[in-house]
Amino acid sequence: MGFVSLDLDLARRAALAGAAVAMRHFAALAELPRELKADGSTVTAADRESEEAIRAVLRRERPGDALLGEEGGAAGAGRRRWIIDPIDGTAQYVAGDDRWLVLVALEEDGEIQAGVAVTPAQDAIWWAQRGGGAYWSALDGSRERRVSVAPGGTDLLDGSRLGVIPCAPNYLDSDRVIAAPLAARAAESEWDVHAALLVASGELDLAVQTRGQIWDFAVTSLIVTEAGGVYGGADGVRGPREGTSLFARSPGLWQAAHDALWG
């Protein structure tokens, strides 16, 4: 097993450790205290404890690597950095909605090399490594399959299948304004799995995530590109960063959507 594959296996074990903690709290939501962060988003003990479980696995196995987490911030420095979102979609989580994710990615020399997205309440795990494709399985490893974007089709916005992230109750008027140029032309779809992952699996053509930080996009950007799709933002096709992000099944469709959003 190559080193990147070992890193991918570690990302998987770390994400599953965080998912186990998050699921324990998810089963007892009525007892879970909630707070508001400075940006107005919700944070809970589940977020913090899930991230600490992930960090514990990574510190034990890769003590020399840097860490960056949504709740715990940055630690260490160097060429290799693990990027953690312990519960992506906390608003859905506290509402009892099963669409939340646990995200763990490895960045090396500024490029995402491996990433795992666990949707524990949906009994699913998605993963990718650079140059190795993107995959889905049940949490126990059964039913594994490679995923790929929808083949063929035109690069026209009109009629393309669009998912907008976030979803209610975290979908604000400001999000609606950002997504409006795409929603006016594409066929906006409700999604029961994170819309970027549905682009990767061919069930959507296009997804726009109206806001986020690097930990929101590190994993999904790799999964979509390894599935044959395209990821980027206002400044073009490159790695995950803060702001609005765009996922598409093809370069032409991505460019058409980029032009509609940012002209």
Side-chain angles (χ1 to χ4, degrees):
M1 183 182 290
F3 196 63
V4 174
S5 296
L6 290 171
D7 284 329
L8 180 62
D9 179 66
L10 177 57
R12 184 186 186 104
R13 287 189 283 121
L16 289 172
V21 172
M23 280 298 288
R24 187 179 74 243
H25 286 291
F26 194 62
L29 281 178
E31 303 165 17
L32 184 63
R34 297 144 201 206
E35 305 168 28
L36 289 180
K37 294 195 280 191
D39 64 2
S41 62
T42 302
V43 64
T44 71
D47 297 85
R48 297 188 179 106
E49 291 176 21
S50 175
E51 181 165 327
E52 182 49 41
I54 294 167
R55 284 174 178 259
V57 173
L58 298 175
R59 283 194 300 260
R60 182 174 64 248
E61 300 291 333
R62 300 285 191 274
D65 290 354
L67 299 170
L68 174 66
E70 179 176 11
E71 309 306 335
R79 297 174 52 240
R80 290 165 52 89
R81 178 172 71 161
W82 296 90
I83 302 172
I84 305 161
D85 192 344
I87 298 178
D88 181 61
T90 301
Q92 281 68 57
Y93 180 89
V94 298
D97 187 321
D98 69 2
R99 289 177 286 182
W100 53 278
L101 308 94
V102 178
L103 302 172
V104 178
L106 173 65
E107 177 190 64
E108 188 167 356
D109 295 327
E111 191 170 68
I112 305 300
Q113 296 294 333
V116 174
V118 183
T119 51
Q122 298 180 334
D123 186 33
I125 183 167
W126 306 67
W127 69 93
Q129 69 180 54
R130 184 161 298 280
Y135 295 84
W136 175 97
S137 79
L139 286 181
D140 64 4
S142 64
R143 295 179 283 144
E144 179 179 325
R145 60 182 172 87
R146 187 164 184 164
V147 297
S148 60
V149 297
T154 71
D155 290 333
L156 299 176
L157 286 179
D158 303 274
S160 63
R161 301 166 298 172
L162 168 69
V164 179
I165 314 157
C167 60
N170 204 29
Y171 189 52
L172 310 176
D173 287 341
S174 56
D175 301 312
R176 190 170 288 106
V177 169
I178 291 169
L182 295 183
R185 297 181 58 186
E188 186 175 352
S189 302
E190 296 292 330
W191 44 271
D192 56 1
V193 175
H194 192 285
L197 298 177
L198 294 183
V199 172
S201 64
E203 295 168 73
L204 290 175
D205 301 307
L206 195 61
V208 61
Q209 189 159 346
T210 57
R211 51 191 157 92
Q213 302 292 330
I214 187 172
W215 46 75
D216 295 296
F217 305 125
V219 174
T220 51
S221 63
L222 182 65
I223 290 175
V224 168
T225 55
E226 284 297 321
V230 182
Y231 164 84
D235 52 354
V237 176
R238 61 180 185 85
R241 65 280 206 187
E242 177 184 359
T244 299
S245 281
L246 184 60
F247 307 82
R249 62 169 170 75
S250 70
L253 184 58
W254 187 92
Q255 190 61 55
H258 178 277
D259 292 347
L261 286 173
W262 294 296

